[in-house]
Amino acid sequence: MISWRRLTEADFPLLRRWLEQPHVARWWNHETSPEAVARDFGRAARGEEPSEDLLVLLDGEPFGLVQRSRFADYPEYGDELADQAEIPRGAVTIDYLIGDPLRVGRGLGTRMIRAIVRATWADYPEATAILVPVHVGNPASWRALEKAGLRRVAEVSLEPDNPLDDRAHYLLRIDRPEAD
């Protein structure tokens, strides 16, 4: 069973280990010192900013992280995308990783994304769509999104997380289901 809870400062050593894993470091390219993790994840963990960092668990054991936020809360992020694709009012975005290398390649990414998408409709009643930009060179990520029901709606040029990459990204989207 997949569940999640808000990331806490007590989880930072685990998150550091995950960010250091080659399969995560390749795409997240995040500084992993204790100070950097505290700086970049501390405000969300303490509820001081509107984004959510969610520790994802499988049968109670941590295996991944999902970051979830509304575009409206981070207009500079949406501005880079808005010139290239439609960002509907109320749109939400996610980012994610599977930190445990023994859990990679087992379909957990797709399951995790599906679960977060379903929860987003309940947690954010004003959410109209979920938009996720993914570097074109990361097929494991964009295929997991597609398997979870998101569809590719655009190719966009965005600043990459890793300076080794070019700006080519796919934008994937899923709209809120119609009410029955």
Side-chain angles (χ1 to χ4, degrees), residues 21-38:
Q21 293 296 319
H23 73 280
V24 174
R26 168 62 185 95
W27 299 108
W28 278 63
N29 192 46
H30 198 282
E31 189 181 332
T32 59
S33 70
E35 297 79 16
V37 171

Side-chain angles (χ1 to χ4, degrees), residues 26 28-29 159-166:
R26 168 62 185 95
W28 278 63
N29 192 46
E159 189 67 36
D161 289 331
N162 190 326
L164 298 175
D165 292 322
D166 60 22

Side-chain angles (χ1 to χ4, degrees), residues 1-8 11 18 51-68 94-97 108-124 130:
M1 177 174 164
I2 291 183
S3 61
W4 52 86
R5 62 171 173 75
R6 188 175 282 274
L7 186 76
T8 68
D11 299 315
W18 287 351
S51 68
E52 297 174 288
D53 291 340
L54 305 170
L55 187 71
V56 184
L57 308 120
L58 178 65
D59 298 328
E61 292 296 318
F63 76 92
L65 177 78
V66 171
Q67 293 182 313
R68 183 169 62 172
I94 60 171
D95 201 354
Y96 46 85
L97 63 84
L108 285 175
T110 298
R111 287 179 56 198
M112 175 176 70
I113 293 164
R114 277 188 192 131
I116 290 293
V117 165
R118 277 192 309 270
T120 298
W121 306 137
D123 297 345
Y124 293 84
I130 299 170

